[in-house]
């Protein structure tokens, strides 16, 4: 293609200056129209700048129209279009543009050389391969990277690691990592995050410990990984080590550790995080407030959670759902219903499935049968929310608590999705409360089938039989419990003292480090036993009088 004349080049430069001054997409459309009038829209130079700006405004469709108007795109325009598609999650389109580039661009320096991309092409093309989780396609692109001579660039190697981790092939990612001469923080963090994301915390920790120049991203990846696999104590431990090493938590690391505080009831650390966020102006961010609200609610401090909620300038659906669910969990069901109604009246945010789980749970705990049924029926029709197993579980619990056992059973049998153990367990509990032995047998049989290793279901069934004085069935059920030779999962509790969370498990040896705690517990237990004996004697006396009067 012939180079543009000096006059055309001058017009292009002037138009590029105008394009760079565009603050809004409307400004960009005006400048694009000017380019069309000047017959410059077919220029790769001008089109590349327009595509970049379209990408910045999230307008990949308009970028595609601009790209289509250029008869012979150059490498820079191809790169811009691949980047626009990849960053807007249109991964297949990005790959298709690359295939077209391979077919249309002439080989560099003439002859039969490889007409692949450059170091600006492959990071975004590899991002598209990772987004598609297409490891075979990624392998082919990797081969093109080698043929084009771009493998030595750090950004390309890091993109290869990221692509392989997104495709779930950590062995190939590690091979690229081990072959790098200059491993930067991005290289280490990408691999650490990948292991943590897949729950491989030993490998993630080993990599982390061997990393010489750690960053806050490295620490956050580890905290997030421990939280994701349920090792909440490990998450808090790493978070404290990060602070001891002099790294200041950012918003991502705070959001990563707050669920661990919530699960362990680590209220002191949670309060410190709130003060830290308040001091640094982070409470203006909705996702920070949402995480803090959840922590306060799960730690039993619903009033602090509500104070945060009411102080938020911009509430999203997560904010409303967290507040409604927190109120429901704390037995303040009518407040939860009123909050939902306020959300509905305000009309700025539409409820989602999580919102309705909290709302229906509140109706269930408060015995608001008519309200709960009405909200359940309105989910799909009025709000476009398709009920899933969690919503049906709340409905069954609502019906069961209200004594509508038969209707609850019909609901379970008519669900569009199979009922899980929680739903059958809820129904079994309702049967026990209301003395419906026949339905209890049905629920227990389903529970035993779904959870064959949990003898607690058989224990509950035995209690139902005992309440109905069906002693033969009680004996048969207890015999089955003994024949299974399984142990029930021991109960546990946790307490936080001096910012350290200690877990106590039933039957656990307390050890000498707890001093005389066991002796104190024995004294309390003996006093409670003596207190219980007084009640047993008085109860027996009342029962004796009742039988005597008969």
């Amino acid at each position: 293609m012939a180079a543009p004349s000096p006059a055309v080049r001058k017009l292009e430069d002037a138009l590029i200056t105008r394009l760079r001054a565009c603050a809004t997409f409307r400004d960009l459309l005006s400048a694009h129209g000017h380019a069309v009038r000047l017959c410059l829209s077919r220029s790769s130079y001008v089109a590349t700048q327009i595509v970049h700006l379209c990408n910045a405004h999230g307008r990949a469709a308009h970028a595609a129209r601009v790209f289509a108007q250029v008869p012979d795109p150059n490498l820079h325009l191809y790169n811009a279009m691949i980047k626009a598609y990849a960053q807007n999650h249109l991964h297949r389109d990005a790959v298709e543009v690359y295939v077209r580039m391979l077919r249309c661009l002439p080989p560099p320096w003439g002859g039969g050389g490889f007409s692949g991309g450059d170091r600006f092409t492959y990071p975004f093309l590899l991002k598209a391969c990772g987004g598609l989780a297409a490891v075979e396609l990624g392998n082919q692109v990797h081969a093109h990277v080698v043929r084009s001579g771009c493998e030595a660039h750090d950004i390309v190697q890091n993109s290869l690691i990221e692509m392989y981790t997104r495709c779930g092939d950590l062995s190939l990612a590690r091979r690229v990592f081990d072959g790098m001469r200059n491993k930067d923080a991005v290289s280490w963090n990408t691999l650490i995050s990948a292991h943590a994301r897949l729950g491989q915390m030993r490998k993630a920790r080993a990599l982390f410990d061997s990393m010489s120049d750690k960053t806050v991203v490295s620490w956050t990846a580890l905290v997030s990984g421990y939280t994701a696999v349920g090792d909440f104590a490990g998450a808090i431990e790493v978070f404290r080590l990060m602070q001891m090493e002099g790294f200041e938590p950012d918003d991502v690391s705070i959001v990563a550790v707050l669920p661990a505080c919530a699960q362990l009831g680590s209220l002191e650390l949670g309060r410190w995080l709130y003060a830290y966020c308040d001091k640094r102006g982070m409470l203006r961010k909705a996702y920070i407030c949402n995480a803090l609200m959840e922590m306060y609610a799960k730690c039993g401090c619903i009033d602090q959670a509500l104070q945060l909620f009411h102080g938020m300038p911009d509430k999203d659906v997560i904010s409303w759902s967290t507040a409604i669910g927190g109120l429901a969990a704390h037995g303040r069901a009518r407040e939860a219903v009123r909050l939902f109604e306020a959300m509905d009246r305000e009309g700025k945010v539409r409820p989602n499935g999580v919102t309705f789980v909290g709302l229906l749970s509140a109706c269930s705990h408060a015995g608001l049968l008519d309200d709960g049924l009405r909200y359940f029926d309105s989910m799909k029709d009025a709000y476009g929310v398709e009920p899933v197993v969690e919503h049906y579980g709340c409905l069954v619990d609502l019906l069961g608590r209200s004594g509508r056992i038969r209707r609850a059973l019909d609901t379970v049998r008519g669900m569009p999705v199979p009922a899980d153990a929680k739903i059958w367990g809820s129904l079994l509990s309702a049967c026990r409360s209301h003395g419906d032995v026949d339905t209890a047998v049905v629920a227990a049989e389903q529970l035993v089938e779904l959870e064959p290793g949990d003898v607690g279901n058989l224990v509950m069934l035995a209690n139902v039989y005992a309440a109905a004085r069906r002693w033969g069935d009680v004996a048969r059920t207890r015999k089955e419990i003994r024949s299974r030779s399984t142990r029930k999962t021991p109960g546990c509790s946790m307490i936080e003292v001096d910012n350290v969370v200690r877990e106590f498990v039933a039957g656990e040896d307390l050890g000498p480090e707890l001093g005389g705690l066991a002796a104190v517990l024995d004294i309390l237990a003996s006093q409670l036993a003596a207190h219980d004996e007084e009640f047993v004697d008085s109860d027996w006396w009342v029962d004796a009088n009742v039988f005597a009067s008969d």
Side-chain angles (χ1 to χ4, degrees):
M1 186 175 178
S5 66
V8 172
R9 190 68 177 182
K10 187 174 181 180
L11 282 174
E12 288 180 339
D13 290 341
L15 184 59
I16 292 295
T17 301
R18 178 177 175 179
L19 285 168
R20 288 172 178 168
C22 293
T24 65
F25 185 64
R26 184 180 294 273
D27 296 337
L28 177 58
L29 289 177
S30 176
H32 184 199
H34 187 60
V36 172
R37 289 192 295 273
L38 292 174
C39 298
L40 295 177
S41 60
R42 294 161 62 89
S43 162
S44 287
Y45 179 52
V46 173
T48 300
Q49 185 64 32
I50 296 175
V51 168
H52 280 311
L53 291 171
C54 287
N55 182 31
H57 289 282
R59 304 291 183 130
H62 190 76
R65 288 192 288 270
V66 172
F67 178 76
Q69 296 301 312
V70 181
D72 297 307
N74 62 14
L75 178 59
H76 301 294
L77 181 53
Y78 277 115
N79 288 347
M81 200 63 233
I82 291 171
K83 176 181 178 182
Y85 276 140
Q87 290 190 330
N88 285 276
H89 309 290
L90 300 169
H91 303 306
R92 292 189 183 279
D93 295 317
V95 175
E96 288 175 3
V97 170
Y98 178 71
V99 172
R100 176 185 165 183
M101 184 187 81
L102 292 178
R103 292 171 178 168
C104 298
L105 272 185
W109 308 296
F114 177 62
S115 60
D118 60 9
R119 61 191 178 96
F120 299 104
T121 310
Y122 292 112
F124 298 103
L125 182 61
L126 290 165
K127 179 182 178 70
C129 295
L132 294 171
V135 68
E136 292 184 2
L137 177 63
N139 285 332
Q140 294 178 33
V141 174
H142 190 174
H144 286 198
V145 168
V146 175
R147 289 182 63 189
S148 64
C150 297
E151 194 178 20
H153 294 284
D154 292 345
I155 187 172
V156 176
Q157 290 180 316
N158 288 335
S159 299
L160 283 166
I161 295 173
E162 176 70 16
M163 181 273 294
Y164 282 127
T165 60
R166 291 293 175 187
C167 293
D169 196 331
L170 266 63
S171 61
L172 288 176
R174 185 59 189 259
R175 190 180 301 176
V176 175
F177 177 82
D178 291 338
M180 292 180 66
R181 292 184 179 180
N182 302 313
K183 300 180 181 70
D184 57 14
V186 175
S187 317
W188 287 92
N189 291 340
T190 302
L191 205 54
I192 291 170
S193 299
H195 283 297
R197 189 168 58 246
L198 295 176
Q200 301 173 358
M201 293 311 300
R202 288 186 178 180
K203 293 182 179 180
R205 188 62 183 263
L207 270 171
F208 176 84
D209 291 339
S210 61
M211 184 178 179
S212 56
D213 297 321
K214 299 177 179 65
T215 67
V216 69
V217 176
S218 320
W219 290 95
T220 301
L222 214 58
V223 172
S224 300
Y226 280 124
T227 300
V229 300
D231 186 355
F232 305 116
I236 290 179
E237 176 195 0
V238 172
F239 185 81
R240 293 192 185 282
L241 286 173
M242 178 181 75
Q243 293 176 278
M244 292 171 62
E245 293 291 331
F247 291 89
E248 287 199 3
D250 61 3
D251 51 352
V252 181
S253 56
I254 287 171
V255 170
V257 77
L258 277 171
C261 298
Q263 293 296 329
L264 292 179
S266 184
L267 185 57
E268 290 304 316
L269 177 57
R271 284 174 171 161
W272 181 89
L273 289 169
Y274 169 79
Y276 179 89
C277 293
D278 188 26
K279 183 177 180 181
R280 284 160 177 76
M282 293 183 180
L283 297 183
R284 292 189 293 268
K285 301 175 181 178
Y287 60 91
I288 292 284
C289 290
N290 293 339
L292 285 166
M293 283 170 55
E294 184 181 20
M295 180 275 301
Y296 274 130
K298 288 187 175 180
C299 288
C301 302
I302 186 62
D303 289 327
Q304 285 89 332
L306 291 175
Q307 184 178 354
L308 253 175
F309 172 79
H310 291 302
M312 291 178 64
D314 298 309
K315 304 176 183 68
D316 58 16
V317 68
I318 300 175
S319 315
W320 289 95
S321 301
T322 303
I324 291 169
L327 284 168
H330 283 77
R332 294 162 64 168
R334 297 187 182 276
E335 290 181 61
V337 173
R338 287 197 294 269
L339 192 61
F340 175 83
E341 292 172 348
M343 173 188 180
D344 199 30
R345 286 194 304 271
E346 188 177 285
K348 294 181 180 178
V349 177
R350 287 184 64 82
N352 62 11
V354 178
T355 316
F356 278 102
V357 169
L359 178 64
L360 293 172
S361 176
C363 292
S364 175
H365 286 91
L368 305 176
L369 178 62
D370 294 336
D371 290 335
L373 293 175
R374 175 168 54 85
Y375 286 129
F376 184 87
D377 291 337
S378 69
M379 280 179 58
K380 185 176 181 180
D381 297 335
Y383 301 98
V385 178
E386 191 73 33
V388 295
V389 67
E390 289 81 8
H391 303 111
Y392 282 103
C394 293
L395 179 61
V396 170
D397 189 54
L398 172 65
L399 292 168
R401 286 173 184 262
S402 303
R404 309 301 203 275
I405 303 298
R406 290 296 175 183
R407 186 172 176 182
L409 180 59
D410 292 340
T411 299
V412 174
R413 287 173 170 169
M415 287 171 52
V417 292
D420 59 12
K422 290 182 180 179
I423 292 180
W424 287 112
S426 173
L427 183 59
L428 179 57
S429 179
C431 292
R432 181 184 178 188
S433 300
H434 296 280
D436 191 330
V437 179
D438 294 335
T439 308
V441 172
V442 174
E445 288 175 349
Q446 293 292 330
L447 278 170
V448 171
E449 183 178 341
L450 290 170
E451 297 179 333
D454 188 353
V455 296
N457 299 322
L458 289 171
V459 171
M460 191 176 291
L461 178 59
N463 292 334
V464 173
Y465 285 143
R469 298 184 180 277
R470 291 171 52 173
W471 306 116
D473 290 326
V474 171
R476 177 179 54 80
T477 306
R478 290 179 182 258
K479 183 178 180 181
E480 185 175 354
I481 293 172
R482 289 192 295 270
S483 68
R484 288 176 179 268
S485 300
T486 55
R487 295 182 60 189
K488 189 175 180 181
T489 303
C492 67
S493 61
M494 290 174 287
I495 186 172
E496 183 182 17
V497 179
D498 295 331
N499 294 329
V500 176
V501 177
R502 167 76 190 193
E503 182 180 37
F504 296 89
V505 180
E508 177 188 38
D509 184 9
L510 295 177
E513 72 276 7
L514 294 177
L517 180 58
V520 174
L521 291 174
D522 288 338
I523 294 171
L524 292 174
S526 62
Q527 291 179 350
L528 288 172
H531 188 60
D532 288 342
E533 287 177 2
E534 296 176 5
F535 277 101
V536 169
D537 291 340
S538 62
D539 288 343
W540 175 254
W541 180 80
V542 171
D543 289 341
N545 278 302
V546 169
F547 287 118
S549 63
D550 291 337

